[in-house]
Every structure is written in structure tokens, then in C-alpha cells.
């Protein structure tokens, strides 16, 4: 901050000096001052007030405040339901304190209600007191992952709590008028009416198209919409606003309203639809962009669209600087910029094509080109079939949205008429879902694209601008170059392609990734030629339907260019090591699966059920395989040698894997405890450079004799933030640091941890610095 303030003073002084000397020269210091002011404002936004509730994280407290918004209710699947409250904090009372003190900020509170709980849940506007341990916001800290923590902070939420129904007390039951609560009741009545006349999944899809959200939609349907590039239809976006405005303006032209009245009517329609959708941040952004576009039409300034878009983005960032990191903001801004800047040139390039084909194709191409780097970073997946889907399916989807909105309004005043429309909507939706699934099943309907990072993104946009005609200093375009120097241009293009191929195949250092999967283990090894071995996959606890393999591990692998796994090794079948395996297998091709010899757990059974083409290999002590001179050795597994029998289940069934490359090695110990370590010590176990600490750093693992034998320079502990087991144990940490002098890395503190080695040197890097 002091550096920024000093820079601001210098730039302001320079601008004032230039004003006196030569006015036009002050533009550069003023531009610099503009960006410095933004940095200062951003830094101020990141600073929490002294009384913010997050300063009490880690303590058991009683938080008192008002319920902000309508509580969300979710069925847990294990008996009971979970209520999600958002609390505007007023006071906080630490457990050992006698008095409550004033506090600010918002807390997200998760309350589990059992089926036999008699207490009535709190409602919007109630003042409640919640007793429990306050926790910091914490997500999975891996590159390429959507940052849920930052998303909550943008909403003013700085801490979270979990509690039982008995820990929640309603202090004041006064419920003020809330348009959001009335809107929620109205939406629920519409949803209930649809569910009475159509399948629940169809009702969920239509609800998502009209109001946003994926609640209740079958995950295969979501996957098909993602593959076909239509996933944005399942949330209220700029496309919805444009559709509503387009229908209103079309209707206005039919009844011969003038341009100005029709634009005013369209603005009113957008505002009403935004309120119907709950005025969530993405809806507000989409509505603002739609309103500014219509305003440009009203003022006959359609050519000012790029300026209007930039001004909209600037106003949003001034209001909330953290929006810069919001995926919805990035995608909506990128897609809109693509449409504004690239649509007309793309349409011109398709001159001679049928209008019904050229228009939708130009829209799809220009919008997709605007967001390619963001899609690569977050999803690593580009929908090739989207060009076809936008022509074949999108008209049907737009019909659903138009009929759906009409049905909603008609049902509100005439339920019988609305019900008829809902039945028709269900038939159309069923056809759209079937057609989407058919297109998604087409081979190569979507292709993998690698993450390119900020530098690669900059190069992409520079090349895109060059191709589309932005060429300062009289730089020639691709057609001019090909026309003037055809052979040289062709040779240059071939050389660039060859260089990219060579760079891709040229041996790289070995990387060993310890992925942040919460309370679990997942280790990825990438060899010099890009072959991958995954050891364990993490997994969720407590009946959660959050699939870590599908939602965390598979995206991580794709982010680093891994689209196939040579070996998946499960040290043992416990949920926190194997629970995500089936999810990984559904997205990543696996050639070989190596399993400890124990009775198959449900997690392992789920993996084998969906991995029909993979070779299943029982692990045994002494087993060795090599990939690109990276040697993998099973140095210990209960059951003994290749002729051994099934081992006992549990942590002692853990296989121990040694990964060596050149002068460095990694020892992966799974959940091995003291007894297993004693057995290892009876053999000649070589030292290692990096030890993946056994059983998440529990007190019953990583004994001192074992540490002295393996003598690691680095130790990695994979454990969940504030886990209920107390991992890692203080005594284990003391043995590692005080007795062994090892450098300790922890996924709960450092996020993903990546070691890079050329066989001689080794370097560690962490996601959280």
C-alpha cells in the first residue's frame, strides 16, 4: 500500500505539471493514476474490518444475527435435511467470555435437522443465536479450480459454521416483509405445479432455464449440455435477456409500435425478468448488459457497443473489484466482447452461406472465440458439436424459455391454462434432452484443450486481433502475407507446428503432485514424456454426494494435460483414498488398475464396475514397473509376494510405493501405521527424498525409528482443513521438524504441492504461497 500511494502521488504530480506545460502529455500519467487508484481500491476491499467475525475463526462462539435471505433446504440422503443459513452478524460471544461484543460480516451456517427434530427452522428476518465452532472459509486449493472461497467473500461472507438443530435458538421471531421470500414462495408453487404434470427431472431443467440453478437435474443431463456447449442455457444469462428483449421487440413490430416505445417495453421486460430470477449477481450483470445494449439502440448509437461494454465492466469492478476473479463475470464479459467485436467480421466471412446457417454459426464462433482461454483454464474442454447444437437444439431451447415464461404468467392468473402449457413444455423438454444426449454421444463431440495460462492467453488474443484486422504499424494480415509470400508463409506455418510438436514431445522434468483433496490422499506422477500414474484419488465422507474424483481430481489432471492414466494405484480401499476413483475413471481413460489384496470396499467395487477395459493387477511386494526411466516399486503390501493371499482390511492393508528418478525418490505410505512401519524396518528400506506421511499425520504413524531409516528431506501431509480427527498430530509434526529437520508441506495449509526434479535437483512449489 505505501508503494502504491507513493506511485499515485508521483503520477498525480506529473499530470499536474503536464497540465501547465503541455495538456496532451498528461494522458499517460493520468492513465497510470487510473490503474493505481484501482489497485489501491482493491487492496482496501481485501482488508477486513477489525470487528469482522472471521477474526474469531478457530474458536467456539455464540454468533447472534439476522437471517439474511431465504434459507436453502437440501435433503442429505442419510436421514434428515440440511438447512443453509446466511447470517448478518450483530454480536459474538466466545465460549470463555462473559459478555458478547459487537461484530460485523456474514456467516454461512450449515444446520443438520434430523427427521425427529421438533424445533421449527428459522425463517428470513428471524434473529437467531448459533453455538458452534467458527471456521475460516476454505475450499480445495488447486490450480484451475473455481474459487468458492473468493465467491463467498464477494457476497460479504467471511466465515462458516456447522451446527445441529439443538444449537440454533430463535431470539426474535419477527419476520419482516421480504420480496425475496415472496418470490421464493411463488417460484416453489410454480415448481410444484410443474412436478405434478411432468417428471421431476424435466421440471428441474425447465426451472433452471427460467430461473437458473442446477438443483435436481440429473448429472448426466448436465454433462450432455456441457458437452454440446449449451450449459449456459441452464442459468439465466445474457442470452436469456437478449431472447426476452427480442421477443418483445418482435411483438412490438407486429402491432406497429415505434422504435422508442418498443425499446422501452423491452427494457421493462428485462427488468421484470431480472426480478423474477432473484436479482442474483449473474442476473444483474446480464440485465445490465442487455439494458445498455437497448439504450444504445434507443439513442441510435449501436456502434458504441464496445465502449458501452467496457463502461459496464468498469462500473461493475468499481462496485466490486473481486468480480475480476468471478468465473461468471469472466465468461459473460468474454462472450459478449466476442459478439460485439467479432460477429460482423465472422458473418462477412460466411457471405454466400444460407442466412439461417450463417447467422447462428457466426454467433457461436464469435462468442466461443471470446472465451477460449477461460474455457481452457477452467474446463479444458472445447465443444466441437456446439456449432451443430446451436443450430439444431437452440431454437427448441428458446421455445421452451418463451413458452415457459408465458406458462408461468398464465398459471399465476389461470392455473388450468398454465398447466396445459406445462404439459406441452414437458414433451418438448423430453425431446430436447434426447437430442442433446444423441449429439453428446457423437465421437469427438468435444475435444481436450490445454490450459495456456496468462501468457498463452495474451498470445491467443493478440493473434485473434491480428486475424480479425487489428494491425497497428501497418502490419500485414494473414491473407496479405499468404498472397505476397505464399511459400515463406507456408514454411513458417509448418515450422511453427513442428516446433510445437517437438516442444510437446521433448522430455520434461518429472513432476510429482500432491493434490488437495481435503481429508484424503491423491498423488499424481507425470513422467518426462507426459505419462501419468495416479496413486489414490481421495473421497468424500458422511454420505455427501460431492464426488471428489469427478469434481476435483479429474479437473486437476486435465489442467496439467493428463487425458489418460497408465496406472491407477490404490494403496487400499478406504473411502478417503479410493472414493473418487470411479469419478476419475468416468472422465479419464485408465489402462491399468493396481489394487491392494483386501476385500473390495464399495469404493473399489464402484471403480471396477465402470472400468471394463482396464487391466486389474493385484499388488505384491517387489512388484516393479518403469515409465520413461521413472521406477515404481511396491516395497510393501500385506499379502506378501505374488503368491500371497488376501490381506486383512483396514489401514494395515496399505501398499507402500517408492517412486524414484535419478538421485531422488518419493515414498508413498498410504495409511500405514506403526505396526506396518515396524514390518518395513525388518527389510532393507532405502532412504527417500520426499516422504508422503502415513495416515494424514496421525499420532499412530511416522514413528521415530521409521523416520530415521527413511531420512526424508521433505515431508508431505495430506489432510483436510480443521478435520475432526485432529490430523496432523502435534507429536508427529514435532518428530518431523525437531527430530528429523524435514521441511514439512501440508495440503490443508499449502493446497496442491508440486515437486519438480530433473533427477539431480529437486524443487517444491505450493499453490498457496
Amino acid at each position: 500500500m505505501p508503494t502504491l500511494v507513493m506511485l499515485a502521488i508521483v503520477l498525480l504530480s506529473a499530470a499536474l505539471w503536464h497540465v501547465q506545460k503541455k495538456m496532451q502529455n498528461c494522458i499517460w500519467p493520468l492513465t497510470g493514476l487510473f490503474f493505481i487508484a484501482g489497485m489501491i481500491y482493491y487492496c482496501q476491499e481485501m482488508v477486513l474490518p477489525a470487528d469482522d467475525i472471521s477474526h474469531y475463526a478457530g474458536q467456539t462462539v455464540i454468533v447472534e444475527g439476522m437471517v439474511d435471505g431465504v434459507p436453502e433446504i437440501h435433503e442429505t440422503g442419510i436421514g434428515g435435511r440440511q438447512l443453509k443459513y446466511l447470517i448478518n452478524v450483530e454480536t459474538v460471544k466466545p465460549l470463555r467470555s462473559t459478555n458478547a461484543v459487537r461484530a460485523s460480516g456474514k456467516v454461512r451456517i450449515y444446520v443438520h435437522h434430523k427427521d425427529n427434530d421438533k424445533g421449527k427452522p428459522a425463517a428470513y428476518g428471524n434473529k437467531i443465536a448459533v453455538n458452534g465452532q467458527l471456521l475460516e472459509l476454505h475450499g480445495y486449493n488447486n490450480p484451475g479450480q473455481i474459487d468458492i472461497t473468493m465467491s463467498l467473500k464477494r457476497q460479504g461472507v467471511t466465515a462458516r459454521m456447522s451446527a445441529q438443530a439443538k444449537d440454533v435458538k430463535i431470539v426474535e421471531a419477527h419476520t419482516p416483509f421480504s420480496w425475496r421470500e415472496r418470490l421464493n414462495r411463488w417460484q416453489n408453487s410454480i415448481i410444484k405445479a410443474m412436478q405434478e404434470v411432468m417428471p421431476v427431472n424435466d421440471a428441474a431443467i425447465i426451472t433452471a432455464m427460467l430461473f437458473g440453478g442446477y438443483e435436481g437435474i440429473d448429472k448426466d443431463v448436465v454433462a450432455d449440455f456441457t458437452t454440446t456447449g449449451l450449459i449456459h442455457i441452464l442459468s439465466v444469462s445474457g442470452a436469456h435477456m437478449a431472447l426476452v428483449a427480442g421477443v418483445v421487440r418482435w411483438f412490438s413490430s407486429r402491432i406497429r409500435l415505434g422504435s422508442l416505445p418498443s425499446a422501452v417495453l423491452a427494457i421493462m421486460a428485462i427488468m421484470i425478468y431480472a426480478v423474477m430470477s432473484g436479482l442474483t449477481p449473474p442476473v444483474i450483470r446480464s440485465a445490465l448488459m442487455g439494458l445498455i445494449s437497448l439504450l444504445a439502440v434507443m439513442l441510435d448509437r449501436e456502434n458504441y457497443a464496445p465502449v458501452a461494454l467496457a463502461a459496464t465492466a468498469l462500473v461493475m469492478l468499481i462496485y466490486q473489484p473481486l468480480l475480476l476473479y468471478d468465473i461468471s463475470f469472466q465468461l459473460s464479459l468474454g462472450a459478449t466482447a466476442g459478439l460485439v467485436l467479432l460477429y460482423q467480421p465472422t458473418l462477412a466471412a460466411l457471405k454466400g452461406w444460407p442466412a439461417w446457417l450463417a447467422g447462428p454459426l457466426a454467433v457461436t464462433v464469435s462468442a466461443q472465440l471470446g472465451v477460449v482461454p477461460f474455457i481452457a483454464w477452467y474446463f479444458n474442454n472445447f465443444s466441437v458439436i456446439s456449432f451443430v447444437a446451436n443450430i439444431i437444439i437452440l431454437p427448441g431451447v428458446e421455445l421452451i424459455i418463451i413458452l415457459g415464461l408465458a406458462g408461468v404468467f398464465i398459471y399465476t392468473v389461470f392455473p388450468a391454462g398454465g398447466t396445459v402449457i406445462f404439459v406441452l413444455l414437458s414433451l418438448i423438454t423430453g425431446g430436447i434432452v434426447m437430442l442433446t444426449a444423441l449429439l453428446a454421444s457423437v465421437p469427438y463431440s468435444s475435444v481436450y484443450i490445454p490450459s495456456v495460462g496468462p501468457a498463452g492467453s495474451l498470445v491467443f488474443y493478440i493473434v485473434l486481433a491480428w486475424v480479425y484486422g487489428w494491425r497497428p504499424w501497418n502490419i500485414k494480415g494473414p491473407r496479405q502475407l499468404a498472397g505476397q509470400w505464399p511459400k515463406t508463409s507456408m514454411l513458417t506455418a509448418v515450422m511453427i507446428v513442428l516446433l510445437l510438436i517437438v516442444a510437446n514431445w521433448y522430455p520434461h522434468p518429472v513432476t510429482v503432485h500432491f493434490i488437495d483433496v481435503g481429508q484424503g490422499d491423491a498423488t499424481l506422477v507425470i513422467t518426462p514424456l507426459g505419462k501419468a500414474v495416479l496413486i489414490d484419488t481421495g473421497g468424500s465422507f458422511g454420505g455427501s454426494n460431492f464426488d471428489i474424483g469427478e469434481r476435483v481430481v479429474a479437473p486437476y489432471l486435465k489442467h496439467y494435460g493428463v487425458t489418460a492414466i497408465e496406472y491407477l494405484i490404490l494403496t487400499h480401499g478406504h473411502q478417503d483414498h479410493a472414493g473418487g476413483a470411479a469419478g476419475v475413471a468416468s472422465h479419464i481413460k485408465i489402462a491399468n488398475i493396481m489394487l491392494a489384496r483386501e476385500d473390495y470396499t464399495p469404493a473399489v467395487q464402484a471403480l471396477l464396475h465402470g472400468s471394463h477395459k482396464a487391466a486389474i493387477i493385484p499388488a505384491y511386494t517387489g512388484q516393479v514397473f518403469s515409465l520413461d526411466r521413472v521406477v515404481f516399486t511396491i516395497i510393501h503390501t500385506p499379502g506378501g509376494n505374488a503368491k500371497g493371499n488376501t490381506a486383512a482390511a483396514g489401514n494395515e492393508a496399505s501398499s507402500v510405493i517408492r517412486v524414484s528418478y535419478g538421485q531422488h525418490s518419493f515414498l508413498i505410505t498410504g495409511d500405514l501405521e506403526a505396526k506396518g512401519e515396524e514390518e518395513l524396518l525388518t527389510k532393507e528400506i532405502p532412504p527417500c527424498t520426499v516422504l508422503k506421511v502415513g495416515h494424514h499425520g496421525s499420532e499412530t504413524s511416522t514413528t521415530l525409528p521409521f523416520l530415521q531409516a527413511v531420512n526424508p528431506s521433505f515431508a508431505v501431509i495430506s489432510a483436510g482443513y480443521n478435520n475432526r480427527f485432529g490430523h496432523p498430530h502435534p507429536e508427529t509434526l514435532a518428530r518431523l521438524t525437531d527430530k528429523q529437520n524435514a521441511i514439512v508441506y501440508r495440503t490443508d495449509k499449502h493446497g496442491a504441492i508440486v515437486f519438480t526434479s530433473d533427477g539431480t535437483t529437486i524443487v517444491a512449489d505450493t499453490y498457496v504461497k
Side-chain angles (χ1 to χ4, degrees), residues 52 105-107 151-159 320:
D52 189 83
K106 295 181 181 180
V107 178
S151 177
L152 289 171
K153 286 182 177 179
R154 282 190 291 272
Q155 303 170 41
V157 181
T158 55
Q320 176 52 276

Side-chain angles (χ1 to χ4, degrees), residues 272-304:
I272 292 171
Y273 186 36
V275 172
M276 283 175 52
S277 302
L279 286 179
T280 59
V283 170
I284 293 173
R285 287 194 291 275
S286 301
L288 275 175
M289 291 181 181
L291 291 173
I292 287 175
S293 299
L294 284 170
L295 188 61
V297 172
M298 291 174 62
L299 299 176
D300 196 23
R301 293 291 187 271
E302 290 93 334
N303 292 335
Y304 287 12

Side-chain angles (χ1 to χ4, degrees), residues 545-597:
N545 59 2
F546 183 87
D547 191 329
I548 283 182
E550 181 180 24
R551 303 279 294 278
V552 177
V553 180
Y556 186 96
L557 299 182
K558 291 180 180 178
H559 183 79
Y560 281 97
V562 175
T563 57
I565 298 173
E566 296 295 324
Y567 286 86
L568 169 61
I569 305 174
L570 298 180
T571 58
H572 63 301
H574 277 183
Q575 180 69 15
D576 57 334
H577 291 252
V584 172
S586 66
H587 291 271
I588 306 290
K589 182 180 177 181
I590 301 173
N592 304 284
I593 298 173
M594 189 173 291
L595 301 172
R597 272 175 293 168

Side-chain angles (χ1 to χ4, degrees), residues 648-661:
N651 294 336
E652 293 302 333
S654 287
S655 298
V656 178
I657 302 103
R658 178 184 173 85
V659 182
S660 57
Y661 181 68

